[in-house]
Amino acid sequence: MPRLEEYREIAGPSILEELHLLARHLKGKSILQINSTAIGGGVAEILNRMVPLLNELEIDTRWEVIKGGESFYAVTKKFHNALHGDSQTIRPEDYQVYEDTLDQNLSQMSLEADVVFIHDPQPAALVKKRKTLKNRWIWRCHIDLSEPAPPVWDFLRPYIEQYDSCVFSAPSFAQSLPIPQILIPPSIDPLSDKNRELSPEEIRAILERLHIPTDKPLITQVSRFDRLKDPLGVIEAFLQVKPYLEARLLLAGGSANDDPEGAQVLKEVREKAEQDPDILVLSLPPTSHLEINAIQRASALILQKSIREGFGLTVSEALWKEKPVIAGAVGGIPLQIVHQHSGILVHSVEGAAYWMKKLLHEPQLAKKLGENGKEHVRQNFLLTRHLRDYLLLFLSLEHAGSDMIHLQ
Ligand code: UDP
């Protein structure tokens, strides 16, 4: 795995110096990261890199994953959809499954650390243990909380209020809460297998192995098969402009261990894709980082037509590869895309269809969007910036109540 020093050239020397300076003031502190899946989805993607780099900076960091049965993940997926604004029927016994599962986890976990960093709603109620521990707790919410459905948010809110602070990915997710709310967007790792440079030969070999033909331009969406990523809307948009294009649509993705709906959505996508032989659906195992890298690099156009989105790492991943991206104007996506400068923001199937056609017919415009996008990601969404924001957050907790922290 790349060491911090290897980011100097890409991220610039000053951020590395900042990281070392901040880390010196946190040396020996311990951080415990907790989420609900070790593989699949953006949170696991980030923790895989964030944890080793924090340790390299001599901040003692471990990562634990809560355990739950099928019924727990069915409930937390309902929570997830409800927090994204969808109306869901949640029964009293669902809340009980959630509470019981977290109680079981609490009985088996050690939460001894200076800072306990809890990701998303699934493990949020672990905070009830906080009363007996004298440490700091952060709730890191990665999901789009712009319009949470009240029953689920009302259930979670009393837990969230017990945290020292919470972190959101976009300003529109802020809630009325009595604790500080901090804006920290996520990031991509430019040196990981998902994002590092690949030679044309490597790309070609990977696409061949995956049986993806490259004789026509590829329009691609890489996403878990999740309704909120709107894969059916992507197919619909493609079918609308298909008569005017020589192109293929590729929907590539897998599932996450904590998402029980993936198989059903994939089935619906496959059924709809049967309408046209130029629509390819690829189900990938969760370790397909190089494959996704190659697919993104081989694509002429990337879509991320989400209906709700916490951040949408796939957008930054594609922009980093200088690809023109058409994406839903939701959640954290508008932080990454300035419309018609670093990509295209859309609000409908028709909008996505219109821009698909336009960008494939205007390669100069498409190229410019990709170039601007890469620079925007370099400045805002690389792992080093994210790491610095977390170090600043830990320092601010250490010095809670101070207006200013002096670092020598
Ligand atoms: N991803 C993956 N395999 C897949 C689908 C997605 O590795 O089959 C990766 C994708 O490249 C990105 C992350 O998972 O790094 C998804 O993060 P994002 O924020 O886009 O969405 P989430 O899945 O967290 O809602």
Side-chain angles (χ1 to χ4, degrees):
M1 272 204 193
R3 311 260 311 160
L4 208 43
E5 199 46 42
E6 293 171 57
Y7 293 82
R8 183 175 289 274
E9 207 177 311
I10 289 178
S14 62
I15 183 123
L16 291 200
E17 274 143 39
E18 259 182 275
L19 288 175
H20 287 293
L21 170 71
L22 294 171
R24 269 205 304 280
H25 291 265
L26 289 162
K27 212 167 180 164
K29 295 281 169 207
S30 54
I31 314 278
L32 170 58
Q33 308 266 1
I34 302 178
N35 80 325
S36 62
T37 177
I39 39 174
V43 180
E45 180 86 15
I46 293 168
L47 285 175
N48 259 310
R49 293 300 300 126
M50 192 61 91
V51 170
L53 289 176
L54 284 166
N55 279 309
E56 189 188 328
L57 285 165
E58 296 183 55
I59 299 165
D60 177 13
T61 307
R62 64 196 167 93
W63 171 13
E64 290 206 15
V65 176
I66 54 164
K67 297 187 186 75
E70 232 172 80
S71 53
F72 174 72
Y73 290 116
V75 170
T76 56
K77 182 69 189 193
K78 280 205 232 174
F79 281 13
H80 181 88
N81 290 339
L83 292 171
H84 273 132
D86 212 31
S87 70
Q88 296 278 325
T89 313
I90 313 224
R91 302 158 305 171
E93 54 268 37
D94 291 339
Y95 292 115
Q96 199 57 51
V97 166
Y98 178 80
E99 304 258 10
D100 291 348
T101 307
L102 288 191
D103 284 344
Q104 276 160 22
N105 276 277
L106 276 176
S107 67
Q108 290 159 10
M109 279 173 118
S110 158
L111 296 165
E112 298 287 339
D114 294 311
V115 178
V116 183
F117 207 96
I118 302 283
H119 296 263
D120 284 337
Q122 297 92 331
L126 293 177
V127 73
K128 61 171 96 157
K129 187 71 179 284
R130 188 196 164 163
K131 292 186 202 88
T132 57
L133 297 159
K134 292 210 164 32
N135 49 7
R136 304 276 183 192
W137 286 63
I138 299 168
W139 186 54
R140 202 306 175 215
C141 175
H142 294 268
I143 63 182
D144 182 338
L145 216 57
S146 48
E147 289 173 58
V152 172
W153 181 236
D154 291 346
F155 168 76
L156 278 178
R157 187 209 302 265
Y159 291 119
I160 306 310
E161 290 177 350
Q162 295 174 46
Y163 283 80
D164 288 275
S165 57
C166 56
V167 178
F168 294 114
S169 296
S172 55
F173 305 163
Q175 295 295 317
S176 164
L177 285 168
I179 57 169
Q181 301 177 60
I182 294 150
L183 171 66
I184 303 183
S187 62
I188 60 158
D189 179 357
L191 300 181
S192 65
D193 279 346
K194 179 71 60 65
N195 297 306
R196 69 177 169 82
E197 293 286 335
L198 294 178
S199 69
E201 294 72 40
E202 282 174 290
I203 297 172
R204 202 172 313 121
I206 293 172
L207 266 82
E208 237 171 66
R209 178 158 52 76
L210 294 173
H211 306 292
I212 301 173
T214 49
D215 53 327
K216 295 182 188 177
L218 273 179
I219 303 175
T220 302
Q221 173 156 304
V222 172
S223 271
R224 289 180 297 105
F225 289 100
D226 182 322
R227 284 183 221 295
L228 296 175
K229 311 283 183 184
D230 201 18
L232 298 176
V234 170
I235 296 182
E236 195 56 48
F238 179 74
L239 291 174
Q240 282 184 12
V241 284
K242 177 79 201 303
Y244 315 101
L245 295 179
E246 256 311 285
R248 275 206 180 82
L249 177 67
L250 171 62
L251 290 149
S255 60
N257 286 349
D258 59 351
D259 178 5
E261 285 179 347
Q264 175 58 25
V265 177
L266 175 58
K267 184 166 163 271
E268 290 167 27
V269 168
R270 284 202 199 282
E271 276 164 17
K272 197 167 167 77
E274 275 169 15
Q275 288 184 47
D276 191 314
D278 278 332
I279 304 177
L280 312 174
V281 180
L282 190 61
S283 171
L284 292 168
T287 48
S288 312
H289 305 301
L290 266 179
E291 287 79 0
I292 288 175
N293 187 346
I295 287 170
Q296 288 167 331
R297 287 184 190 277
S299 299
L301 199 55
I302 299 280
L303 265 89
Q304 188 54 59
K305 214 203 117 351
S306 303
I307 297 168
R308 295 274 182 209
E309 191 60 80
F311 182 69
L313 282 177
T314 49
V315 172
S316 275
E317 287 166 8
L319 294 175
W320 182 247
K321 295 162 184 118
E322 293 188 50
K323 296 297 163 183
V325 178
I326 300 172
V330 291
I333 291 177
L335 296 179
Q336 301 172 76
I337 292 184
V338 177
H339 184 55
Q340 298 199 52
H341 172 74
S342 55
I344 298 296
L345 293 175
V346 294
H347 300 84
S348 63
V349 166
E350 290 70 26
Y354 169 83
W355 281 104
M356 260 188 221
K357 181 165 154 237
K358 188 167 169 74
L359 291 186
L360 280 192
H361 289 162
E362 293 185 34
Q364 283 311 319
L365 170 62
K367 184 164 181 282
K368 193 72 202 148
L369 296 176
E371 285 167 4
N372 291 345
K374 180 167 190 180
E375 201 41 43
H376 188 60
V377 172
R378 186 197 306 283
Q379 285 173 21
N380 298 287
F381 302 117
L382 295 186
L383 184 62
T384 36
R385 186 278 308 154
H386 196 182
L387 198 50
R388 181 190 58 199
D389 286 352
Y390 278 170
L391 297 185
L392 284 167
L393 172 61
F394 300 149
L395 267 177
S396 74
L397 286 179
E398 283 285 301
H399 297 262
S402 323
D403 289 337
M404 202 178 280
I405 306 168
H406 293 281
L407 302 176
Q408 282 110 26

